[in-house]
Amino acid sequence: MPRMPILSRLSVRLTIAFLLAAVLGVVLVAVLAYRSTSSEFSNFISDVEAMEQMMGGGMMGGMMGIPPFAQAARDFLDSLERTLWLAGLSGVALALFLGYLFTRQIVAPLDEVTNAAGQVARGDLKQRVTVRGSGELARLGESFNWMAATLSRDQQLRQNMVADIAHELRTPLSILQGNIEAMQDGVLEASPENLASIHQETLLLARLVEDLRTLSLADGGQLGFQPQDTDLKSLTRQVLDGFQTQLAAKNITSSVEAPDNLPEVWVDPDRTAQVLRNLLSNALHFTPERGKITVKLTDSGEGVAVSVIDNGTGIPAEDLPRVFDRFYRVDRSRSRSTGGSGLGLAIVKQLVEAQGGRVWAESAEGKGSAFSFLLPKAAG
Ligand code: ADP
């Protein structure tokens, strides 16, 4: 840090301010006290001197030339002056001492925050400051610690995210690389089936990249939303229709349950359809043949709640709180083989929360799961 000119330092300025206030106070009191006392006293002495002269000198003063009472009064004035000087100087010294103490109390926490901020800027995000008391300086310390903790958490998330992305890209890339090299060496035939499997891997990669793009745009608040009054019941039916072939292939029955007077919601229909698609695609993946998927819509008063309920594998209780995290998969290897990157629910959460809603999940292992989201009602 560059060295500060001495007069720019807060400690020096505060001490000088204390000192000036004290000096001014003392000088003012001294001048006023001395002026009024001395002028009144001088008049009084002159009167007494005149009286003493008239009476032919005082009891003893006649011999010394100065009347004794007047002398005593002069001595008193001198002593008053000395006392005032002493009081003034002591006041100034006390102001200097107290000023230094107070200033240190104010400046020390500021110095601590300044040093810690410098360390954070140099990349040491573990820096924290001691929070004392409950005043403005304590609030400054708390805000600093909160900021440092947020920076540290974000850095950790970023690092994890990069590691996860690298991990996710590595698997399909190494499969592609292996297959292509085998074909080049003539070990693997470039048959339509083998090419189709390579193509499948490129599709997985493309989906992963697209999911990552959606998440990063949502993080930066750059994902465009065009909200409008939306009838969630017909939107759900429309999205579910798109799954009919896959549902039929697994003999899964599906239904939409909703009251007749369901209010409209104020959301972007395309983004909401994407939320429904992600939840239905998961339900489809994790529900065995001849299973059942129900989409239930209810007016919760606060908004419209949508639950995608399946009677599939369910999720262990210890995994449930983390399923909306990025790249989190209950069964990593199985989920990957079915094309899951662990980003689907993270995207659901982002898209719902960006539209003023919230998401939650309930599940019983071996019995099924219910993934729900709530969206705000349209005004009026
Ligand atoms: P993925 O792309 O792997 O499906 P998601 O973020 O959509 O990632 O889901 C995260 C994990 O949550 C899945 O890997 C799976 O383990 C679990 N999961 C999600 N939906 C269901 C469901 N309906 N039934 C059982 N498990 C589910």
Short mmCIF file of all heavy atoms in Angstrom, two decimals, residues 272-329:
data_model
loop_
_atom_site.label_atom_id
_atom_site.label_comp_id
_atom_site.label_asym_id
_atom_site.label_seq_id
_atom_site.Cartn_x
_atom_site.Cartn_y
_atom_site.Cartn_z
N THR A 272 -41.52 -22.32 -19.32
CA THR A 272 -42.28 -23.19 -18.43
C THR A 272 -42.45 -24.57 -19.07
O THR A 272 -42.39 -25.60 -18.38
CB THR A 272 -43.64 -22.55 -18.09
OG1 THR A 272 -43.39 -21.21 -17.67
CG2 THR A 272 -44.35 -23.29 -16.98
N ALA A 273 -42.60 -24.59 -20.40
CA ALA A 273 -42.70 -25.88 -21.09
C ALA A 273 -41.38 -26.64 -20.93
O ALA A 273 -41.38 -27.86 -20.75
CB ALA A 273 -43.00 -25.65 -22.57
N GLN A 274 -40.26 -25.90 -20.93
CA GLN A 274 -38.96 -26.55 -20.74
C GLN A 274 -38.86 -27.18 -19.33
O GLN A 274 -38.34 -28.28 -19.16
CB GLN A 274 -37.83 -25.53 -20.93
CG GLN A 274 -36.47 -26.17 -21.00
CD GLN A 274 -35.36 -25.15 -21.24
OE1 GLN A 274 -35.63 -23.96 -21.49
NE2 GLN A 274 -34.13 -25.61 -21.15
N VAL A 275 -39.40 -26.48 -18.34
CA VAL A 275 -39.43 -27.01 -16.96
C VAL A 275 -40.21 -28.32 -16.94
O VAL A 275 -39.75 -29.34 -16.42
CB VAL A 275 -40.08 -25.97 -16.01
CG1 VAL A 275 -40.38 -26.59 -14.65
CG2 VAL A 275 -39.18 -24.75 -15.85
N LEU A 276 -41.40 -28.29 -17.56
CA LEU A 276 -42.24 -29.49 -17.58
C LEU A 276 -41.56 -30.62 -18.34
O LEU A 276 -41.60 -31.78 -17.92
CB LEU A 276 -43.58 -29.16 -18.25
CG LEU A 276 -44.60 -28.45 -17.35
CD1 LEU A 276 -45.71 -27.83 -18.17
CD2 LEU A 276 -45.18 -29.44 -16.33
N ARG A 277 -40.91 -30.29 -19.44
CA ARG A 277 -40.22 -31.32 -20.24
C ARG A 277 -39.12 -31.99 -19.42
O ARG A 277 -39.00 -33.21 -19.42
CB ARG A 277 -39.63 -30.71 -21.52
CG ARG A 277 -40.58 -30.76 -22.71
CD ARG A 277 -39.85 -30.56 -24.03
NE ARG A 277 -39.16 -29.28 -24.06
CZ ARG A 277 -39.76 -28.13 -24.42
NH1 ARG A 277 -41.02 -28.10 -24.79
NH2 ARG A 277 -39.08 -27.00 -24.42
N ASN A 278 -38.33 -31.17 -18.69
CA ASN A 278 -37.25 -31.75 -17.88
C ASN A 278 -37.82 -32.68 -16.81
O ASN A 278 -37.29 -33.78 -16.58
CB ASN A 278 -36.43 -30.65 -17.19
CG ASN A 278 -35.49 -29.95 -18.16
OD1 ASN A 278 -35.59 -30.16 -19.36
ND2 ASN A 278 -34.60 -29.12 -17.65
N LEU A 279 -38.90 -32.26 -16.14
CA LEU A 279 -39.47 -33.09 -15.07
C LEU A 279 -40.10 -34.35 -15.64
O LEU A 279 -39.93 -35.45 -15.08
CB LEU A 279 -40.51 -32.29 -14.28
CG LEU A 279 -39.96 -31.10 -13.48
CD1 LEU A 279 -41.08 -30.42 -12.70
CD2 LEU A 279 -38.86 -31.55 -12.51
N LEU A 280 -40.80 -34.21 -16.78
CA LEU A 280 -41.43 -35.40 -17.37
C LEU A 280 -40.38 -36.37 -17.90
O LEU A 280 -40.54 -37.59 -17.78
CB LEU A 280 -42.37 -34.97 -18.50
CG LEU A 280 -43.72 -34.43 -18.01
CD1 LEU A 280 -44.49 -33.78 -19.14
CD2 LEU A 280 -44.55 -35.55 -17.37
N SER A 281 -39.31 -35.82 -18.46
CA SER A 281 -38.28 -36.70 -19.00
C SER A 281 -37.61 -37.49 -17.86
O SER A 281 -37.31 -38.68 -18.01
CB SER A 281 -37.31 -35.85 -19.82
OG SER A 281 -36.01 -36.19 -19.57
N ASN A 282 -37.40 -36.84 -16.69
CA ASN A 282 -36.87 -37.57 -15.53
C ASN A 282 -37.85 -38.65 -15.08
O ASN A 282 -37.45 -39.80 -14.83
CB ASN A 282 -36.63 -36.63 -14.35
CG ASN A 282 -35.31 -35.90 -14.49
OD1 ASN A 282 -34.49 -36.24 -15.34
ND2 ASN A 282 -35.11 -34.88 -13.68
N ALA A 283 -39.12 -38.26 -14.97
CA ALA A 283 -40.14 -39.22 -14.51
C ALA A 283 -40.15 -40.43 -15.44
O ALA A 283 -40.20 -41.58 -15.00
CB ALA A 283 -41.51 -38.55 -14.47
N LEU A 284 -40.04 -40.15 -16.73
CA LEU A 284 -40.03 -41.23 -17.73
C LEU A 284 -38.82 -42.15 -17.54
O LEU A 284 -38.93 -43.38 -17.58
CB LEU A 284 -40.01 -40.58 -19.12
CG LEU A 284 -40.09 -41.49 -20.32
CD1 LEU A 284 -41.48 -42.10 -20.42
CD2 LEU A 284 -39.82 -40.69 -21.60
N HIS A 285 -37.67 -41.54 -17.28
CA HIS A 285 -36.43 -42.30 -17.08
C HIS A 285 -36.50 -43.22 -15.88
O HIS A 285 -35.99 -44.32 -15.89
CB HIS A 285 -35.26 -41.34 -16.84
CG HIS A 285 -34.48 -41.11 -18.08
ND1 HIS A 285 -34.21 -39.86 -18.58
CD2 HIS A 285 -33.89 -41.98 -18.92
CE1 HIS A 285 -33.51 -39.96 -19.68
NE2 HIS A 285 -33.30 -41.24 -19.91
N PHE A 286 -37.06 -42.66 -14.79
CA PHE A 286 -36.97 -43.38 -13.52
C PHE A 286 -38.22 -44.17 -13.16
O PHE A 286 -38.37 -44.63 -12.05
CB PHE A 286 -36.59 -42.40 -12.39
CG PHE A 286 -35.22 -41.80 -12.60
CD1 PHE A 286 -35.06 -40.54 -13.17
CD2 PHE A 286 -34.08 -42.52 -12.27
CE1 PHE A 286 -33.81 -40.01 -13.39
CE2 PHE A 286 -32.82 -42.00 -12.49
CZ PHE A 286 -32.68 -40.74 -13.05
N THR A 287 -39.14 -44.28 -14.13
CA THR A 287 -40.35 -45.08 -13.88
C THR A 287 -40.26 -46.37 -14.70
O THR A 287 -39.96 -46.31 -15.90
CB THR A 287 -41.61 -44.26 -14.28
OG1 THR A 287 -41.59 -43.06 -13.52
CG2 THR A 287 -42.89 -45.02 -13.98
N PRO A 288 -40.48 -47.49 -14.07
CA PRO A 288 -40.35 -48.76 -14.81
C PRO A 288 -41.53 -48.96 -15.77
O PRO A 288 -42.51 -48.20 -15.73
CB PRO A 288 -40.39 -49.81 -13.71
CG PRO A 288 -41.11 -49.16 -12.59
CD PRO A 288 -40.86 -47.69 -12.68
N GLU A 289 -41.41 -50.00 -16.59
CA GLU A 289 -42.50 -50.32 -17.53
C GLU A 289 -43.81 -50.48 -16.76
O GLU A 289 -43.80 -50.93 -15.62
CB GLU A 289 -42.17 -51.63 -18.24
CG GLU A 289 -40.91 -51.50 -19.08
CD GLU A 289 -41.08 -52.12 -20.46
OE1 GLU A 289 -42.09 -52.80 -20.67
OE2 GLU A 289 -40.19 -51.90 -21.30
N ARG A 290 -44.89 -50.12 -17.42
CA ARG A 290 -46.25 -50.20 -16.86
C ARG A 290 -46.42 -49.33 -15.59
O ARG A 290 -47.28 -49.59 -14.75
CB ARG A 290 -46.66 -51.64 -16.55
CG ARG A 290 -47.14 -52.37 -17.80
CD ARG A 290 -47.57 -53.78 -17.49
NE ARG A 290 -46.42 -54.63 -17.22
CZ ARG A 290 -45.64 -55.12 -18.18
NH1 ARG A 290 -45.88 -54.83 -19.44
NH2 ARG A 290 -44.62 -55.90 -17.89
N GLY A 291 -45.58 -48.32 -15.49
CA GLY A 291 -45.71 -47.40 -14.35
C GLY A 291 -46.76 -46.34 -14.62
O GLY A 291 -47.52 -46.43 -15.60
N LYS A 292 -46.75 -45.31 -13.77
CA LYS A 292 -47.79 -44.29 -13.90
C LYS A 292 -47.18 -42.91 -13.61
O LYS A 292 -46.44 -42.74 -12.63
CB LYS A 292 -48.91 -44.61 -12.91
CG LYS A 292 -50.08 -43.68 -12.99
CD LYS A 292 -51.25 -44.25 -12.19
CE LYS A 292 -52.33 -43.20 -11.90
NZ LYS A 292 -52.65 -42.32 -12.99
N ILE A 293 -47.51 -41.95 -14.45
CA ILE A 293 -47.06 -40.58 -14.22
C ILE A 293 -48.29 -39.67 -14.20
O ILE A 293 -49.11 -39.70 -15.11
CB ILE A 293 -46.08 -40.11 -15.33
CG1 ILE A 293 -44.80 -40.95 -15.28
CG2 ILE A 293 -45.75 -38.63 -15.17
CD1 ILE A 293 -43.82 -40.68 -16.41
N THR A 294 -48.39 -38.87 -13.15
CA THR A 294 -49.53 -37.95 -13.04
C THR A 294 -49.00 -36.53 -12.89
O THR A 294 -48.06 -36.30 -12.11
CB THR A 294 -50.36 -38.26 -11.77
OG1 THR A 294 -50.62 -39.67 -11.75
CG2 THR A 294 -51.65 -37.49 -11.74
N VAL A 295 -49.62 -35.61 -13.64
CA VAL A 295 -49.27 -34.20 -13.42
C VAL A 295 -50.48 -33.56 -12.75
O VAL A 295 -51.58 -33.55 -13.29
CB VAL A 295 -48.94 -33.47 -14.73
CG1 VAL A 295 -48.45 -32.06 -14.43
CG2 VAL A 295 -47.88 -34.23 -15.52
N LYS A 296 -50.24 -33.06 -11.51
CA LYS A 296 -51.34 -32.52 -10.72
C LYS A 296 -51.18 -31.01 -10.60
O LYS A 296 -50.10 -30.53 -10.22
CB LYS A 296 -51.27 -33.17 -9.33
CG LYS A 296 -52.55 -33.22 -8.60
CD LYS A 296 -52.32 -34.07 -7.37
CE LYS A 296 -53.58 -34.21 -6.57
NZ LYS A 296 -53.38 -35.21 -5.52
N LEU A 297 -52.24 -30.29 -10.94
CA LEU A 297 -52.18 -28.83 -10.84
C LEU A 297 -53.17 -28.37 -9.78
O LEU A 297 -54.33 -28.80 -9.78
CB LEU A 297 -52.53 -28.17 -12.17
CG LEU A 297 -51.55 -28.48 -13.32
CD1 LEU A 297 -52.11 -29.53 -14.24
CD2 LEU A 297 -51.22 -27.22 -14.09
N THR A 298 -52.71 -27.52 -8.86
CA THR A 298 -53.62 -27.03 -7.80
C THR A 298 -53.44 -25.53 -7.60
O THR A 298 -52.35 -25.00 -7.83
CB THR A 298 -53.32 -27.72 -6.44
OG1 THR A 298 -51.91 -27.77 -6.28
CG2 THR A 298 -53.89 -29.12 -6.37
N ASP A 299 -54.54 -24.91 -7.17
CA ASP A 299 -54.48 -23.48 -6.83
C ASP A 299 -54.10 -23.41 -5.35
O ASP A 299 -54.90 -23.78 -4.48
CB ASP A 299 -55.87 -22.87 -7.08
CG ASP A 299 -55.89 -21.39 -6.73
OD1 ASP A 299 -54.87 -20.89 -6.22
OD2 ASP A 299 -56.93 -20.75 -6.96
N SER A 300 -52.88 -22.94 -5.08
CA SER A 300 -52.43 -22.96 -3.68
C SER A 300 -52.79 -21.64 -2.99
O SER A 300 -52.41 -21.43 -1.85
CB SER A 300 -50.92 -23.16 -3.61
OG SER A 300 -50.28 -21.95 -3.94
N GLY A 301 -53.47 -20.76 -3.68
CA GLY A 301 -53.77 -19.45 -3.10
C GLY A 301 -52.66 -18.48 -3.45
O GLY A 301 -52.87 -17.44 -4.07
N GLU A 302 -51.44 -18.90 -3.14
CA GLU A 302 -50.24 -18.09 -3.41
C GLU A 302 -49.95 -18.08 -4.92
O GLU A 302 -49.41 -17.13 -5.48
CB GLU A 302 -49.10 -18.79 -2.68
CG GLU A 302 -47.91 -17.98 -2.32
CD GLU A 302 -46.84 -18.91 -1.74
OE1 GLU A 302 -47.19 -19.95 -1.11
OE2 GLU A 302 -45.67 -18.61 -1.96
N GLY A 303 -50.28 -19.17 -5.57
CA GLY A 303 -50.00 -19.33 -7.00
C GLY A 303 -50.54 -20.66 -7.47
O GLY A 303 -51.35 -21.28 -6.77
N VAL A 304 -50.07 -21.10 -8.64
CA VAL A 304 -50.50 -22.42 -9.10
C VAL A 304 -49.34 -23.40 -8.91
O VAL A 304 -48.21 -23.11 -9.33
CB VAL A 304 -50.95 -22.37 -10.58
CG1 VAL A 304 -51.25 -23.77 -11.10
CG2 VAL A 304 -52.17 -21.48 -10.72
N ALA A 305 -49.62 -24.51 -8.23
CA ALA A 305 -48.58 -25.52 -7.99
C ALA A 305 -48.75 -26.67 -8.98
O ALA A 305 -49.87 -27.11 -9.24
CB ALA A 305 -48.68 -26.04 -6.56
N VAL A 306 -47.61 -27.09 -9.54
CA VAL A 306 -47.63 -28.20 -10.48
C VAL A 306 -46.76 -29.30 -9.91
O VAL A 306 -45.60 -29.05 -9.54
CB VAL A 306 -47.04 -27.77 -11.85
CG1 VAL A 306 -47.14 -28.90 -12.86
CG2 VAL A 306 -47.73 -26.52 -12.37
N SER A 307 -47.29 -30.53 -9.82
CA SER A 307 -46.50 -31.65 -9.32
C SER A 307 -46.46 -32.74 -10.37
O SER A 307 -47.50 -33.15 -10.88
CB SER A 307 -47.12 -32.23 -8.05
OG SER A 307 -47.09 -31.27 -7.04
N VAL A 308 -45.23 -33.18 -10.67
CA VAL A 308 -45.07 -34.31 -11.60
C VAL A 308 -44.78 -35.52 -10.71
O VAL A 308 -43.74 -35.60 -10.07
CB VAL A 308 -43.92 -34.04 -12.60
CG1 VAL A 308 -43.73 -35.25 -13.52
CG2 VAL A 308 -44.21 -32.80 -13.42
N ILE A 309 -45.77 -36.42 -10.65
CA ILE A 309 -45.69 -37.54 -9.70
C ILE A 309 -45.49 -38.85 -10.46
O ILE A 309 -46.21 -39.12 -11.44
CB ILE A 309 -47.01 -37.62 -8.88
CG1 ILE A 309 -47.28 -36.25 -8.24
CG2 ILE A 309 -46.95 -38.71 -7.82
CD1 ILE A 309 -48.72 -36.04 -7.83
N ASP A 310 -44.51 -39.64 -10.02
CA ASP A 310 -44.32 -40.95 -10.67
C ASP A 310 -44.27 -42.03 -9.61
O ASP A 310 -44.12 -41.74 -8.42
CB ASP A 310 -43.03 -40.94 -11.52
CG ASP A 310 -41.79 -40.76 -10.68
OD1 ASP A 310 -41.54 -41.61 -9.79
OD2 ASP A 310 -41.04 -39.78 -10.89
N ASN A 311 -44.42 -43.27 -10.05
CA ASN A 311 -44.28 -44.37 -9.10
C ASN A 311 -43.03 -45.19 -9.46
O ASN A 311 -43.05 -46.40 -9.49
CB ASN A 311 -45.55 -45.24 -9.04
CG ASN A 311 -45.84 -45.90 -10.37
OD1 ASN A 311 -45.20 -45.57 -11.38
ND2 ASN A 311 -46.77 -46.84 -10.40
N GLY A 312 -41.97 -44.43 -9.71
CA GLY A 312 -40.71 -45.05 -10.14
C GLY A 312 -39.78 -45.40 -8.99
O GLY A 312 -40.23 -45.70 -7.87
N THR A 313 -38.47 -45.28 -9.24
CA THR A 313 -37.46 -45.77 -8.30
C THR A 313 -37.42 -45.00 -6.98
O THR A 313 -37.00 -45.53 -5.96
CB THR A 313 -36.06 -45.66 -8.91
OG1 THR A 313 -35.86 -44.28 -9.25
CG2 THR A 313 -35.90 -46.51 -10.15
N GLY A 314 -37.83 -43.73 -7.04
CA GLY A 314 -37.73 -42.90 -5.85
C GLY A 314 -36.28 -42.48 -5.60
O GLY A 314 -35.36 -42.90 -6.32
N ILE A 315 -36.08 -41.64 -4.58
CA ILE A 315 -34.75 -41.09 -4.30
C ILE A 315 -34.46 -41.29 -2.82
O ILE A 315 -35.30 -40.97 -1.97
CB ILE A 315 -34.71 -39.58 -4.65
CG1 ILE A 315 -35.02 -39.38 -6.14
CG2 ILE A 315 -33.37 -38.94 -4.29
CD1 ILE A 315 -35.34 -37.97 -6.52
N PRO A 316 -33.28 -41.80 -2.45
CA PRO A 316 -32.96 -41.95 -1.02
C PRO A 316 -33.03 -40.61 -0.30
O PRO A 316 -32.65 -39.57 -0.88
CB PRO A 316 -31.52 -42.48 -1.04
CG PRO A 316 -31.31 -43.01 -2.41
CD PRO A 316 -32.20 -42.26 -3.32
N ALA A 317 -33.50 -40.64 0.94
CA ALA A 317 -33.72 -39.40 1.71
C ALA A 317 -32.45 -38.56 1.78
O ALA A 317 -32.51 -37.33 1.72
CB ALA A 317 -34.21 -39.74 3.11
N GLU A 318 -31.27 -39.21 1.88
CA GLU A 318 -30.04 -38.42 2.03
C GLU A 318 -29.66 -37.69 0.74
O GLU A 318 -28.92 -36.71 0.76
CB GLU A 318 -28.86 -39.28 2.54
CG GLU A 318 -28.36 -40.35 1.59
CD GLU A 318 -29.04 -41.70 1.81
OE1 GLU A 318 -30.17 -41.72 2.35
OE2 GLU A 318 -28.45 -42.72 1.42
N ASP A 319 -30.16 -38.17 -0.40
CA ASP A 319 -29.84 -37.51 -1.67
C ASP A 319 -30.83 -36.41 -2.02
O ASP A 319 -30.51 -35.50 -2.79
CB ASP A 319 -29.84 -38.53 -2.83
CG ASP A 319 -28.70 -39.50 -2.71
OD1 ASP A 319 -27.55 -39.04 -2.78
OD2 ASP A 319 -28.94 -40.71 -2.54
N LEU A 320 -32.03 -36.52 -1.46
CA LEU A 320 -33.11 -35.62 -1.87
C LEU A 320 -32.76 -34.12 -1.77
O LEU A 320 -33.04 -33.37 -2.71
CB LEU A 320 -34.37 -35.94 -1.05
CG LEU A 320 -35.69 -35.45 -1.66
CD1 LEU A 320 -35.90 -36.01 -3.06
CD2 LEU A 320 -36.85 -35.82 -0.75
N PRO A 321 -32.12 -33.68 -0.66
CA PRO A 321 -31.84 -32.24 -0.58
C PRO A 321 -30.88 -31.74 -1.66
O PRO A 321 -30.78 -30.55 -1.88
CB PRO A 321 -31.20 -32.07 0.81
CG PRO A 321 -31.50 -33.31 1.54
CD PRO A 321 -31.66 -34.40 0.53
N ARG A 322 -30.17 -32.65 -2.31
CA ARG A 322 -29.15 -32.19 -3.27
C ARG A 322 -29.54 -32.36 -4.73
O ARG A 322 -28.75 -32.04 -5.62
CB ARG A 322 -27.83 -32.94 -2.99
CG ARG A 322 -27.30 -32.62 -1.59
CD ARG A 322 -25.86 -32.96 -1.48
NE ARG A 322 -25.07 -32.30 -2.51
CZ ARG A 322 -23.85 -32.65 -2.85
NH1 ARG A 322 -23.29 -33.65 -2.23
NH2 ARG A 322 -23.19 -32.00 -3.79
N VAL A 323 -30.73 -32.88 -4.99
CA VAL A 323 -31.04 -33.21 -6.39
C VAL A 323 -31.12 -31.99 -7.31
O VAL A 323 -30.95 -32.12 -8.52
CB VAL A 323 -32.33 -34.05 -6.56
CG1 VAL A 323 -32.10 -35.49 -6.17
CG2 VAL A 323 -33.49 -33.44 -5.84
N PHE A 324 -31.38 -30.79 -6.71
CA PHE A 324 -31.44 -29.59 -7.56
C PHE A 324 -30.05 -28.98 -7.78
O PHE A 324 -29.90 -27.99 -8.47
CB PHE A 324 -32.38 -28.55 -6.96
CG PHE A 324 -33.84 -28.94 -7.04
CD1 PHE A 324 -34.51 -29.46 -5.94
CD2 PHE A 324 -34.53 -28.79 -8.23
CE1 PHE A 324 -35.84 -29.83 -6.03
CE2 PHE A 324 -35.87 -29.16 -8.33
CZ PHE A 324 -36.53 -29.67 -7.23
N ASP A 325 -29.01 -29.55 -7.14
CA ASP A 325 -27.64 -29.04 -7.34
C ASP A 325 -27.14 -29.39 -8.73
O ASP A 325 -27.51 -30.43 -9.29
CB ASP A 325 -26.67 -29.67 -6.32
CG ASP A 325 -26.93 -29.18 -4.92
OD1 ASP A 325 -27.82 -28.33 -4.75
OD2 ASP A 325 -26.25 -29.66 -3.99
N ARG A 326 -26.23 -28.56 -9.22
CA ARG A 326 -25.66 -28.84 -10.54
C ARG A 326 -24.83 -30.12 -10.54
O ARG A 326 -24.05 -30.33 -9.61
CB ARG A 326 -24.77 -27.68 -10.98
CG ARG A 326 -25.61 -26.49 -11.25
CD ARG A 326 -24.85 -25.22 -11.35
NE ARG A 326 -25.87 -24.16 -11.35
CZ ARG A 326 -25.68 -22.97 -11.83
NH1 ARG A 326 -24.53 -22.63 -12.35
NH2 ARG A 326 -26.66 -22.09 -11.81
N PHE A 327 -24.99 -30.91 -11.53
CA PHE A 327 -24.23 -32.15 -11.74
C PHE A 327 -24.50 -33.22 -10.70
O PHE A 327 -23.78 -34.21 -10.63
CB PHE A 327 -22.71 -31.88 -11.80
CG PHE A 327 -22.31 -31.06 -12.98
CD1 PHE A 327 -21.86 -29.77 -12.84
CD2 PHE A 327 -22.41 -31.58 -14.27
CE1 PHE A 327 -21.49 -29.01 -13.94
CE2 PHE A 327 -22.04 -30.83 -15.37
CZ PHE A 327 -21.59 -29.54 -15.20
N TYR A 328 -25.52 -33.00 -9.84
CA TYR A 328 -25.78 -34.02 -8.83
C TYR A 328 -26.64 -35.13 -9.43
O TYR A 328 -27.70 -34.89 -10.00
CB TYR A 328 -26.48 -33.43 -7.60
CG TYR A 328 -26.48 -34.40 -6.45
CD1 TYR A 328 -25.34 -34.56 -5.67
CD2 TYR A 328 -27.58 -35.20 -6.19
CE1 TYR A 328 -25.30 -35.49 -4.65
CE2 TYR A 328 -27.55 -36.13 -5.16
CZ TYR A 328 -26.40 -36.26 -4.40
OH TYR A 328 -26.37 -37.19 -3.40
N ARG A 329 -26.15 -36.36 -9.30
CA ARG A 329 -26.93 -37.51 -9.76
C ARG A 329 -26.88 -38.58 -8.68
O ARG A 329 -25.82 -38.81 -8.09
CB ARG A 329 -26.33 -38.07 -11.06
CG ARG A 329 -26.69 -37.18 -12.24
CD ARG A 329 -25.91 -37.51 -13.44
NE ARG A 329 -24.49 -37.29 -13.20
CZ ARG A 329 -23.58 -37.32 -14.15
NH1 ARG A 329 -23.93 -37.57 -15.38
NH2 ARG A 329 -22.33 -37.13 -13.88
#
